Amino acid sequence: MAKKSLKIEGMTCAACAKAVERAVRKLHGVEEASVNLATERLSIRYDPSTLRVSDFKKAVEKAGYRALEEDTKIDEDKVRKERERMVLWQKFVLSAIFTVPLLIVTMGHMFGSAIGFHLPKIIDPMMNPLNFALVQLILILPVIVAGYKFFTVGFKTLFKGNPNMDSLIAIGTSAGFLYGVFAVSRIITGNAEYANHLYFEAAGVILTLITLGKYLESVTKGKTSEAIKKLMGLTPKTAIIIRDGKEIEIPIEEVEAGDIIFVKPGEKMSVDGNVVEGTTSVDESMLTGESIPVEKNPGDAIIGASINKNGIIKYVATKVGKDTVLAQIIKLVEEAQGSKAPIAKLADVVSGYFVPAVMGIALLSALGWYFIGGQSTVFVLTIFISVLVIACPCALGLATPTAIMVGTGKGAEYGVLIKSGVALETTHKINTIVFDKTGTITEGKPKVTDVITADGISQNDLLQLAASAEKGSEHPLGEAIVKEAEDKGLTFKKPDTFRAIPGQGIEVQIEGRNVLLGNKKLTDEREIVLSHFEEVSHQLAGEGKTPMYIAIDNTIAGIIAVADTIKENSSRAIEVLHNMGIEVAMITGDNRRTAEAIAKLVGIDRTLAEVLPQDKANEVKKLQQEGRKVAMVGDGINDAPALAQADIGIAIGSGTDVAMESADIILMRSDLLDVPAAIQLSKNTIRNIKQNLFWAFGYNILGIPIAMGILYIFGGPLLNPAIAAAVMSFSSVSVLLNALRLKRFRPVR
């Protein structure tokens, strides 16, 4: 299955998004289609052997909208959005210029006397009713022209069977305008009483206020996507490369893998790569959140968009364009912002039936008041227009995606990359977190602490033999032994054979001797007599060290103990999680005594020790079978199955690509305090979404009956369509403003 994302033009409300989804899902070969109203993006999973992008564009066009390839440059997207905002503002100003005098002409003769204002006799409704009506007709025409899109889009989608918010506005204002034109024709024939019921001002105020609401909506929408703009803005525009011994400045798009890039102090690294010449310190805080500059020497990795602080370096480009770390982060955040959370399904279902239902309610209410209530045509028209205008599903469609956009964007600021809306929602339900030990709770850079030998063998001889055996191993404990031997200046012997035994250790042949190096499982399986070394091993394990047995020709030769240092914030992170009521477990392949010693130091509740890599996912599954919502935090390839099995997989940013691919959340800073921060962000975002949905649903539940005239039945006022338009616009803006409150999020540390 392939993935594709398209920009959709012409959407105004949740009903539009639903219509586009429905049109695309009908295509044979589409597995999934999701529209995000806030980002105006259609995300599709489909069979590329069956469908082409042109098929999606045709389907979207048939539904009454327009699909475009997404802008790849932030500048283009920014210009387009600002142009749209400017057009909306100009339309509002034009509408207001004609709507204000329209209101003065309409209401002047009723309220003017209270402030000493009187309409000129030439347009006074008592003296010249036709002039009074014609002036209003002239003033309303520019407002209708300025709001022409409400009519073109509204009627187009209505006739295509996908009515949306614009359809409600178009029908309501058209009804008011056409009634006004009818009234003018009656005045011309001598029926002056129609001058008091023209309805032009209602249509004008509705169109003007809704245009203002749309403008405010576009402004606040722009603020929700600021995180992406900040990330995109980090990318430098040019790079200096070395070609034929000369420094040449080229656009960033032209840099290719293998180019040698020259960077001076204070400049940004253009793409990812590896240092080939020079030393410097680099500020990577914009990606990792780590404020301390990182020293870079030949061979060290460079992250694009990081800042060169004080040295001149040359580095070879390894990843360019869409392959850079920054580009991948932007892609992850965009996908997360464009995805839907399960909580949005209710709003989706409602919005699919909402507009047709509102049209039915408006028509039934109007007919009820006319035939049963015996009310006038003007009264019925007021009910009809008020119901159509007040029941806008904009707030409903914006409730979830705007909160997800701000939430995931805020996470990116803290180096917490949440891959999807589903992950964002699920995270707030987590009640158990399983941490991998090595490289997650601990630094993953263990050191040799003890070398205990059997009689007749020196410490250096044992270390030399063990280091020679581990030279071909990539296990962190093996690397610690090799480094200790190198630090002591010992020479290495070349093994004749090497075999890794998963979860137990290694077996090698060196100078005709069979050497075993591993844990107690290995010695038990080979039936090696440990004698007093078993007691020594227990003592070392109790101190939080990992003892490894060395046996030569099936005879115990000694123990080398290795200890891994605990990360700076591990204890504090676990304390914060406990304060949130979350149980914390640790999973490791180490022996139980060592694991429990580490667990005790950091305050872990449950220890899952001596777990083979392939069994980690099973241990997570057992916790889930207890009815727990489990998050797994890890960094290695062997953690990938467990990360995928858990309800939420959290990968440490310094970990492997496989672990990060399997995870739902990536912690760029490798700081465990970001684990509770991710959960807190999820809780705040879901709370915000619930508030938005409550307001959106509550507004319609209260607004529609009032517009139908329920208060009037009990002697209350009748809702004016102009007030209905103002309230409708406010509802959408209020939902967006509430979502923007998430920008104030600060994690408890």
Side-chain angles (χ1 to χ4, degrees):
M1 286 289 173
K3 285 185 179 180
K4 185 68 183 174
S5 191
L6 294 171
K7 204 82 177 169
I8 305 298
E9 280 190 353
M11 294 193 301
T12 54
C13 67
C16 301
K18 193 70 180 171
V20 173
E21 282 182 3
R22 197 162 48 234
V24 174
R25 282 176 183 160
K26 284 179 183 177
L27 297 174
H28 177 67
V30 172
E31 186 181 88
E32 187 182 329
S34 175
V35 174
N36 186 312
L37 180 62
T39 58
E40 297 171 337
R41 185 187 291 124
L42 164 65
S43 302
I44 320 156
R45 272 170 57 86
Y46 67 100
D47 182 356
S49 65
T50 309
L51 292 164
R52 295 282 177 271
V53 175
S54 56
D55 297 323
F56 303 129
K57 289 183 176 180
K58 285 174 188 172
V60 171
E61 199 170 318
K62 197 175 176 183
Y65 305 91
R66 191 174 170 219
L68 303 168
E69 295 283 340
E70 286 199 285
D71 292 330
T72 53
K73 294 181 181 177
I74 183 62
D75 295 338
E76 292 173 8
D77 186 59
K78 190 177 179 182
V79 168
R80 187 172 63 83
K81 291 287 185 187
E82 284 179 355
R83 189 166 57 242
E84 286 175 8
R85 263 196 292 277
M86 187 59 69
V87 168
L88 279 170
W89 177 250
Q90 289 169 350
K91 285 183 176 181
F92 164 69
V93 171
L94 178 64
S95 298
I97 286 170
F98 288 95
T99 300
V100 171
L102 176 62
L103 276 172
I104 292 170
V105 170
T106 308
M107 307 292 182
H109 67 287
M110 291 187 277
F111 305 107
S113 56
I115 55 172
F117 171 80
H118 299 282
L119 285 174
K121 291 180 181 178
I122 195 169
I123 56 170
D124 190 297
M126 303 301 292
M127 300 179 186
N128 292 293
L130 182 59
N131 291 349
F132 175 73
L134 289 172
V135 166
Q136 290 186 52
L137 178 59
I138 291 166
L139 288 171
I140 189 62
L141 288 174
V143 180
I144 287 174
V145 171
Y148 78 94
K149 267 203 166 183
F150 291 116
F151 302 97
T152 55
V153 174
F155 286 119
K156 183 180 176 183
T157 53
L158 177 64
F159 296 142
K160 285 182 178 286
N162 298 310
N164 63 2
M165 182 212 80
D166 287 343
S167 304
L168 299 179
I169 304 303
I171 294 169
T173 51
S174 295
F177 175 75
L178 291 173
Y179 180 80
V181 172
F182 165 75
V184 171
S185 69
R186 295 305 301 268
I187 295 168
I188 291 171
T189 59
N191 204 333
E193 65 181 52
Y194 277 91
N196 296 318
H197 306 294
L198 290 169
Y199 250 108
F200 288 133
E201 89 287 351
V205 171
I206 288 168
L207 290 170
T208 304
L209 286 176
I210 289 169
T211 304
L212 175 61
K214 283 285 169 194
Y215 169 74
L216 295 174
E217 197 178 293
S218 71
V219 170
T220 44
K221 261 190 194 176
K223 289 181 180 177
T224 63
S225 59
E226 278 176 3
I228 285 284
K229 289 175 184 174
K230 282 180 185 175
L231 286 170
M232 286 179 163
L234 292 173
T235 309
K237 301 285 186 289
T238 60
I240 297 173
I241 66 166
I242 306 295
R243 190 173 288 169
D244 299 327
K246 295 179 181 178
E247 296 174 18
I248 304 169
E249 188 171 358
I250 61 171
I252 191 76
E253 295 85 5
E254 293 180 19
V255 177
E256 295 180 2
D259 283 343
I260 302 297
I261 298 167
F262 180 74
V263 191
K264 297 172 187 174
E267 292 181 343
K268 282 185 179 181
M269 309 294 183
S270 50
V271 294
D272 297 358
N274 293 99
V275 179
V276 292
E277 187 182 312
T279 59
T280 187
S281 59
V282 176
D283 180 1
E284 297 178 346
S285 60
M286 73 316 158
L287 288 173
T288 64
E290 183 56 61
S291 57
I292 300 170
V294 182
E295 293 296 321
K296 298 291 181 181
N297 298 300
D300 289 342
I302 292 292
I303 302 174
S306 56
I307 301 168
N308 185 22
K309 297 296 285 184
N310 51 26
I312 295 175
I313 63 164
K314 292 178 184 177
Y315 74 95
V316 60
T318 54
K319 291 180 180 177
V320 299
K322 293 182 179 179
D323 296 325
T324 64
V325 170
L326 180 62
Q328 292 299 312
I329 290 171
I330 290 169
K331 184 184 174 188
L332 280 176
V333 177
E334 279 183 331
E335 285 179 355
Q337 292 190 338
S339 66
K340 285 190 176 181
I343 197 170
K345 287 178 182 174
L346 177 62
D348 281 352
V349 171
V350 172
S351 61
Y353 301 101
F354 191 81
V355 174
V358 168
M359 287 181 172
I361 290 168
L363 190 60
L364 287 173
S365 302
L367 293 173
W369 280 109
Y370 187 76
F371 290 110
I372 301 170
Q375 295 292 342
S376 66
T377 306
V378 173
F379 184 97
V380 168
L381 200 59
T382 301
I383 294 289
F384 181 70
I385 296 173
S386 296
V387 173
L388 288 176
V389 171
I390 203 166
C392 166
C394 283
L396 203 59
L398 292 168
T400 305
T402 47
I404 288 175
M405 282 180 72
V406 180
T408 51
K410 197 67 188 174
E413 283 181 34
Y414 283 98
V416 178
L417 300 183
I418 301 167
K419 285 188 176 181
S420 68
V422 175
L424 184 65
E425 180 173 342
T426 306
T427 302
H428 89 285
K429 301 174 185 174
I430 295 299
N431 52 31
T432 300
I433 294 185
V434 180
F435 287 97
D436 176 52
K437 181 177 81 70
T438 307
T440 303
I441 289 177
T442 63
E443 291 287 356
K445 297 173 184 175
K447 296 178 180 178
V448 172
T449 57
D450 302 86
V451 180
I452 296 118
T453 63
D455 294 337
I457 186 166
S458 70
Q459 286 189 347
N460 278 359
D461 286 345
L462 187 70
L463 190 60
Q464 181 191 41
L465 199 63
S468 298
E470 289 283 8
K471 188 71 174 173
S473 168
E474 293 182 354
H475 194 283
L477 302 181
E479 287 176 1
I481 293 171
V482 171
K483 190 173 187 307
E484 182 72 11
E486 286 173 344
D487 290 346
K488 290 195 170 185
L490 301 176
T491 56
F492 293 88
K493 297 178 179 181
K494 189 175 181 181
D496 299 315
T497 62
F498 177 93
R499 185 168 76 92
I501 306 165
Q504 295 184 10
I506 60 170
E507 181 177 14
V508 296
Q509 294 285 332
I510 299 177
E511 296 179 341
R513 291 185 292 178
N514 187 66
V515 179
L516 291 171
L517 195 152
N519 56 24
K520 194 169 182 298
K521 281 184 182 178
L522 182 61
T523 57
D524 287 348
E525 193 174 286
R526 298 303 175 92
E527 298 179 351
I528 294 168
V529 179
L530 298 177
S531 63
H532 73 283
F533 283 104
E534 190 165 359
E535 189 180 329
V536 173
S537 173
H538 289 326
Q539 186 181 337
L540 292 167
E543 295 169 7
K545 300 169 182 176
T546 301
M548 288 190 288
Y549 297 100
I550 296 100
I552 303 171
D553 295 329
N554 270 29
T555 302
I556 190 73
I559 290 175
I560 295 179
V562 176
D564 192 0
T565 53
I566 293 168
K567 283 186 178 178
E568 183 184 353
N569 289 328
S570 293
S571 298
R572 177 58 187 156
I574 290 161
E575 184 186 342
V576 174
L577 289 169
H578 281 152
N579 292 339
M580 293 166 67
I582 294 171
E583 183 191 30
V584 183
M586 183 180 77
I587 194 165
T588 178
D590 275 358
N591 69 71
R592 182 161 294 280
R593 289 177 67 88
T594 304
E596 286 178 349
I598 297 287
K600 191 175 179 182
L601 284 171
V602 294
I604 296 282
D605 302 312
R606 189 190 293 206
T607 307
L608 307 169
E610 299 174 10
V611 180
L612 295 175
Q614 63 267 30
D615 292 335
K616 284 186 177 181
N618 289 333
E619 292 295 331
V620 170
K621 200 171 185 177
K622 285 177 189 174
L623 291 170
Q624 289 172 322
Q625 286 168 350
E626 292 176 19
R628 298 179 176 278
K629 283 284 183 184
V630 182
M632 170 74 192
V633 186
D635 72 325
I637 291 173
N638 61 352
D639 297 322
L643 289 169
Q645 173 63 43
D647 296 285
I648 290 294
I650 303 175
I652 301 295
S654 59
T656 64
D657 290 343
V658 176
M660 292 166 77
E661 188 65 34
S662 305
D664 302 293
I665 296 173
I666 299 168
L667 308 180
M668 292 300 296
R669 300 193 298 190
S670 303
D671 185 346
L672 289 197
L673 275 170
D674 289 337
V675 174
I679 296 170
Q680 291 163 19
L681 179 62
S682 172
K683 287 179 183 290
N684 283 26
T685 305
I686 296 304
R687 190 184 307 121
N688 191 280
I689 288 172
K690 287 178 178 175
Q691 290 167 354
N692 284 349
L693 287 173
F694 174 80
W695 170 249
F697 279 118
Y699 156 80
N700 281 302
I701 289 166
L702 289 173
I704 292 174
I706 292 171
M708 290 169 66
I710 195 89
L711 296 179
Y712 187 82
I713 294 172
F714 298 101
L718 192 64
L719 184 68
N720 187 298
I723 295 171
V727 175
M728 182 275 283
S729 296
F730 174 73
S731 72
S732 298
V733 174
S734 66
V735 162
L736 285 160
L737 291 173
N738 187 49
L740 287 172
R741 288 194 310 113
L742 283 169
K743 283 182 169 284
R744 301 205 298 262
F745 170 78
R746 295 285 182 278
V748 177
R749 291 183 174 270

